[in-house]
Amino acid sequence: MTSKSMKLLLLFLVLPFVGQAEEFVQDIEVLSPAPLSDVCGKVKIRVHSSKLTHLEVYCMNESISHAIRRNGKGEGAFVVDTRRLPQGPFTLQIMGSNEEGERDIYELQLYNTDHRSPCRTGIPDTIPVGAQGMRLVFADDFDGPLSVSCDGRGARYNAHKPTFGDFSGWPFADPSDDVDGPFLVRDSYLVIQARKPEGGRGSTGLLATVDMDGKGFWAKAPFYMECRLTAQSAPGTWPAFWTVTNISRGAGDELDVMEAYGGWGEGNPNSTGYWVTTHYWGQTDADGKPLAAPAEQIDMMSKGHHTSWSQDFHTYGLSVTKDSTTYYLDDEPVLCHPTNSYSYDASHVVMVNYAIGGASGWKVDLERYGNRSNMYVDYIRVFEGVE
């Protein structure tokens, strides 16, 4: 992407609302291909907008950026050459605006099946910054059948938060052989599929490394864990990578390495960043007040390769040592605070999920995407050390 294009994109994304006329509207429609379609070669993308006079498309991972010309009916088209893109999932971000201050962002998730394209999947050979001096104790490249059961018993993963507390508005579903079930492994990606059939109830997915009996993989400090993932920013989407030290209702720590909230417009988060959040459940300070827990919103557009969590894959990491707890974005520290006693003394369950609405409090509206959205996980790995 050119410097000028990047500046225009940043202005579009972070420009605050100015006056009553500044508002988001759902006016962009993709006529073809359908969201989540497989594409290959030179692909024509057909769009329509009745209100917005200026449309542009961006594909951040390979710097595709140009205006979209339209006819008198508001219809336009552009071509994407998938040979310039990595094999696997990618997102086209179509943005529109007009002189009345109306704006729209449409995120079109597609899947590149062109085997002439480079493949960027797989656990890297390098050791992450936060894991120096540690040994690998858990890794999943999602390059084989997924081992998951409804309660985690007899499998590597539990499809629900152990032992209580599922929190998604579209419920976390049990594993299924159905094509639109919550989990799919494709080309070394774990695909967590959020789906809501017409007239039916929505569903989506969560994976936890501990079953309902508390058996399975627990990370013990000092440790470092990381996950490479991407998801769609749409009203209600809520991808997360996190850990808890207690699966009962007692005191414990929750460390949210990455939780992002999707959607643009009134009543939506309107953010390209994500949250790093710490919860010290059931704990008080010397004055009997709830123990203060660090949290920070990470401005992704000012870091690394200047892309949001929905525009490209990123690696989210967490290091817990005796003295410090550090959160990473693509190997860069983004938040550090003293380690709480539970985080160091207790063991941690590792979880990744794609919640839709629910406890986040944000509204859900995936209608123009056919009530279908995907989260893609490239890999998860955990290192442990000795202090």
Side-chain angles (χ1 to χ4, degrees):
M1 174 174 289
T2 66
S3 176
K4 180 179 179 181
S5 297
M6 175 61 76
K7 290 178 180 178
L8 289 173
L9 175 61
L10 290 172
L11 180 63
F12 190 100
L13 290 173
V14 305
L15 183 68
F17 293 104
V18 180
Q20 294 182 351
E22 191 72 22
E23 64 175 334
F24 273 89
V25 294
Q26 287 196 1
D27 190 60
I28 297 173
E29 178 187 8
V30 173
L31 303 177
S32 66
L36 300 178
S37 291
D38 288 355
V39 294
C40 183
K42 293 185 177 180
V43 183
K44 177 182 281 190
I45 313 294
R46 297 175 57 243
V47 300
H48 173 267
S49 177
S50 59
K51 294 182 179 180
L52 306 177
T53 56
H54 180 72
L55 294 184
E56 293 195 21
V57 59
Y58 300 91
C59 187
M60 297 299 295
N61 49 10
E62 284 295 329
S63 303
I64 294 173
S65 170
H66 56 76
I68 304 172
R69 294 182 179 181
R70 290 173 296 151
N71 59 26
K73 297 180 180 180
E75 297 179 355
F78 59 94
V79 174
V80 172
D81 188 349
T82 63
R83 291 174 298 179
R84 297 180 56 195
L85 302 172
Q87 183 183 334
F90 68 98
T91 296
L92 294 175
Q93 200 167 55
I94 304 167
M95 302 181 178
S97 61
N98 61 23
E99 294 181 356
E100 285 71 41
E102 294 175 315
R103 294 186 286 171
D104 192 13
I105 298 178
Y106 186 108
E107 292 206 355
L108 178 62
Q109 290 184 308
L110 298 172
Y111 199 95
N112 180 15
T113 62
D114 196 330
H115 293 284
R116 296 169 295 179
S117 302
C119 186
R120 294 185 181 177
T121 64
I123 296 177
D125 295 330
T126 56
I127 304 299
V129 171
Q132 297 298 314
M134 299 184 180
R135 62 186 179 90
L136 185 67
V137 294
F138 181 96
D140 200 338
D141 209 3
F142 302 107
D143 54 358
L146 183 66
S147 176
V148 55
S149 66
C150 62
D151 55 13
R153 296 183 180 98
R156 190 176 199 183
Y157 294 108
N158 187 346
H160 298 273
K161 179 178 178 289
T163 54
F164 73 99
D166 275 1
F167 48 87
S168 178
W170 291 12
F172 296 129
D174 294 342
S176 168
D177 292 332
D178 186 272
V179 66
D180 282 334
F183 308 111
L184 173 71
V185 173
R186 183 178 188 186
D187 296 334
S188 195
Y189 294 110
L190 165 68
V191 189
I192 302 181
Q193 303 184 126
R195 300 289 188 269
K196 184 179 180 182
E198 186 175 354
R201 190 183 187 191
S203 65
T204 186
L206 174 148
L207 293 182
T209 58
V210 169
D211 67 19
M212 292 301 182
D213 297 321
K215 298 178 180 178
F217 175 78
W218 294 81
K220 182 69 177 69
F223 73 87
Y224 171 87
M225 69 181 203
E226 70 176 10
C227 179
R228 184 173 184 259
L229 64 88
T230 189
Q232 182 187 29
S233 178
T237 59
W238 182 14
F241 176 55
W242 54 302
T243 180
V244 294
T245 63
N246 191 350
I247 60 175
S248 68
R249 296 183 183 272
D253 288 359
E254 174 183 330
L255 307 180
D256 298 327
V257 186
M258 179 273 190
E259 55 180 342
Y261 306 105
W264 297 86
E266 184 178 358
N268 289 301
N270 302 307
S271 173
T272 57
Y274 70 98
W275 281 94
V276 168
T277 310
T278 306
H279 300 279
Y280 297 148
W281 300 116
Q283 301 170 59
T284 58
D285 60 19
D287 296 324
K289 297 179 180 179
L291 189 63
E296 187 169 329
Q297 188 174 23
I298 308 304
D299 178 14
M300 303 186 74
M301 302 305 288
S302 66
K303 301 181 182 299
H305 47 295
H306 309 290
T307 57
S308 74
W309 53 273
S310 69
Q311 294 165 334
D312 202 356
F313 279 92
H314 292 275
T315 303
Y316 303 89
L318 167 70
S319 168
V320 178
T321 67
K322 190 172 184 62
D323 296 323
S324 62
T325 296
T326 306
Y327 301 84
Y328 295 85
L329 171 63
D330 297 326
D331 259 358
E332 177 185 350
V334 293
L335 177 65
C336 185
H337 60 78
T339 296
N340 196 43
S341 59
Y342 280 97
S343 290
Y344 189 78
D345 295 334
S347 298
H348 295 246
V349 182
V350 180
M351 286 176 281
V352 62
N353 64 259
Y354 197 27
I356 305 294
S360 72
W362 297 108
K363 66 180 181 181
V364 178
D365 184 3
L366 297 175
E367 291 288 339
R368 66 171 170 170
Y369 299 109
N371 282 317
R372 298 161 57 86
S373 182
N374 282 354
M375 175 180 180
Y376 296 92
V377 180
D378 187 6
Y379 63 84
I380 298 172
R381 59 177 174 171
V382 183
F383 296 79
E384 288 184 358
V386 177
E387 286 192 345

